[in-house]
Amino acid sequence: MADVIKLLPDHVANQIAAGEVVQRPASVVKELLENAIDAEATLIKLIVKDGGKTLIQVVDNGKGMSGPDARLTFERHATSKISSASDLFNLRTKGFRGEALASIAAIAHVDMQTRISNEELGTHIKIEGSKVISQEVVATPVGTSISVKNLFFNIPARRNFLKSNQVELRHIMDEFHRVALVHPSIAFHLFNNGSEIFNLSHTGPRQRITHVFGSKMEERLVPVDEETDVVRISGFVTKPEFAKKSRGEQFFFANDRFIKSPYLHHAVVAAFEGLIKTDTLPGYFLHLQVDPKTIDINIHPTKTEVKFDDEHTLYAILRSTIKHSLGQFNVAPILDFERDSNLDTPYAYQGKEAIIPKITVDASFNPFDSSASKKAEPRFSGKKSTEGWENLYKGLENLDSGPPVSSYEIESDTEIQSSLYSENEWVQEKGFTFQLQRKYLVSTVKSGLLVIHQNRAHERVLFEKFLGEITVEKGLGQQLLFPLDVSFTPSERTLLKEIHDSLVNVGFVFENLEQETVKVTAVPAILSESKIGMVLDHLIAGYKEGLREDVFSQAEILAKELAKNLAIKTGESLDEDSQMALVNDLFACKEPTLSPTLKKTYTILYESDLDKRLL
Ligand code: ADP
Ligand code: MG
């Protein structure tokens, strides 16, 4: 057989390498920002269009490159950062593999202008799919500007695989945050489709966090600082009461590089044990400085997964350092989440003035007068207690022939009770419900006992309502008497603008969308005023989370989030009308059996189940 093995031409090898380095526009952003930082820039501008699909440009005021270097940089394994294998164990720079630019140039149109300070003129190079189109001398400031256009132009499969512009922009912003948070001394700008989303001036670590995540972050941060032989830990964690259900504010940096480490994440969460609910996460911004010899950053092309020599020690130190910080700043003992949620003011009453309770006594009531006791029929669940107790036995005399539910019927309304003995089947006709443990609504159906999970059922009802309003027919909002000011960070505002139209459909009205403080002038009728800020925060966080998981439909994410936030919770007590309304609404749904998060909304205890239990 003839020889079949060939060496791949460089441009093919580059395309293959690009597959690993460049997954999406955000990967290009990461590489270009890191190169600018390695070039010691103090001011970096990132400009993107259409989620980076059309344009990603990074302009820096760093060292720049000489003409020959500018050309060489697009070769594979061309790097100024290491020159021997031993350098790998003493890395101080972000890059070192020398493949980013070669990879990017293999799959996009790249245009670069660069100049070093001791030359008058700079270099302008254009490369398309690894082919140098032109190289000219140009007048340009010291530093480098690289534009990457039409990413994946020659790999349609990959281009088609990209998500919507909004989703890609989210990923870009995530990368931008990661880089900006480690380098507060560098000024960063981010422009998207011509408008400036971030303008981060040169500052300190704490201010950088608040510039990125908003001034409300200021009061939430607890500093962490510890130096040992193995590691220096610095940064911040958020106070336990600000732990969130959504991910997004968890950052580890190892030697100034953003890293992912489920193991160390666990250490942080362990430090918060007993202080936060199990389904919430603390925010953290933690910098670990270790000897470069003790860390291997080489194990993944995007370099976010690293290997520490002694992870176990690191875990222990991290956990105790954070515990110490939380203790020192006295944030440990104030939380009590075992508190009975029934003591919280119910939704509809928040912000309202307390009404002094009045006791009404029926002075004419005489328990021994049988005509009066008929009127004031007792209920099991009512406050009327032993008066009229003999009524409990009413109906028992015909227990054999009557339906076994007759003893329950005493709980229902007097009005219904009057027809009790004439219509054995009222249960099916009118329906009745009662609430069990403020969690379940119990009712009957022909075949048995219906038990509905009130929270999940209401989530289903609201989910379908909001989904309809967003996609089919606009819902009505309720005008606020006094417009409410809610402040947002730049990235929250970008998200808010993305979901604006859907929110308007469900009844929100916003003003000043361009400013840090947005005015809310109307909200969905079901949303009480005191919850507006919280619900909007959750909506944005939930939407972001949904995007992260690449759920496609914005309407679905929002309807789910709205339903989750506004649904009746476990622990809320419901009057009979609300119970009935909820049961009816649930069964009017298209998919009554499951909550929007795909959990069962109800179950039926069949007669045969009961028979078995009573054997
Ligand atoms: P690496 O960063 O791993 O060295 P890259 O392909 O990202 O590989 O870059 C190759 C080389 O190009 C770098 O080592 C650096 O010398 C040079 N370079 C890239 N970007 C810049 C920049 N913005 N300013 C100055 N030099 C740069
Ligand atoms: Mg690089």
Side-chain angles (χ1 to χ4, degrees), residues 146-214:
I146 302 191
S147 311
V148 176
K149 293 181 192 157
N150 308 322
L151 190 66
F152 297 131
F153 78 99
N154 50 359
I155 318 180
R158 287 230 124 184
R159 196 169 169 86
N160 295 338
F161 179 73
L162 294 178
K163 300 282 191 279
S164 69
N165 293 353
Q166 286 150 9
V167 173
E168 295 301 339
L169 178 64
R170 276 294 334 146
H171 286 285
I172 289 175
M173 279 166 69
D174 283 349
E175 289 298 348
F176 181 81
H177 288 165
R178 292 167 182 178
V179 173
L181 286 170
V182 209
H183 298 281
S185 60
I186 301 177
F188 288 92
H189 295 256
L190 169 55
F191 296 86
N192 174 49
N193 290 342
S195 62
E196 186 171 60
I197 315 186
F198 282 100
N199 175 350
L200 305 174
S201 50
H202 154 101
T203 178
R206 188 175 189 124
Q207 289 81 349
R208 178 54 58 92
I209 296 173
T210 58
H211 289 166
V212 172
F213 291 105

Side-chain angles (χ1 to χ4, degrees), residues 31 34-35 38 81 95-96 100 303:
E31 295 298 335
E34 290 189 348
N35 279 348
D38 284 343
K81 296 168 195 174
F96 58 86
K303 310 179 203 91

Side-chain angles (χ1 to χ4, degrees), residues 31-32 34-39 58 60 62-65 69 72-75 78-82 94-103 112 114 143-146 303:
E31 295 298 335
L32 297 186
E34 290 189 348
N35 279 348
I37 291 164
D38 284 343
V58 171
D60 71 54
K63 295 193 280 215
M65 284 167 264
D69 276 358
L72 249 185
T73 185
F74 292 102
E75 295 297 329
T79 179
S80 56
K81 296 168 195 174
I82 56 172
K94 309 238 175 224
F96 58 86
R97 298 168 67 111
E99 22 173 49
L101 287 183
S103 302
M112 178 171 92
T114 182
T144 306
S145 162
I146 302 191
K303 310 179 203 91

Side-chain angles (χ1 to χ4, degrees), residues 405 408 426-436 440-453 579-580 582-584 587 602-606 610:
V405 285
Y408 282 109
W426 71 270
V427 171
Q428 264 102 55
E429 282 171 12
K430 294 205 172 180
F432 90 101
T433 56
F434 68 89
Q435 209 180 3
L436 190 68
Y440 297 110
L441 303 183
V442 182
S443 186
T444 53
V445 285
K446 261 208 172 85
S447 43
L449 203 59
L450 172 70
V451 183
I452 297 174
H453 192 289
Q579 296 176 25
M580 278 311 301
L582 180 51
V583 179
N584 288 331
F587 290 103
Y602 68 85
T603 184
I604 294 175
L605 266 176
Y606 292 101
L610 294 172

Side-chain angles (χ1 to χ4, degrees), residues 511-527:
E511 285 172 17
N512 301 348
L513 220 52
E514 295 304 322
Q515 279 144 47
E516 188 176 336
T517 312
V518 173
K519 260 195 197 338
V520 184
T521 61
V523 298
I526 184 175
L527 174 56

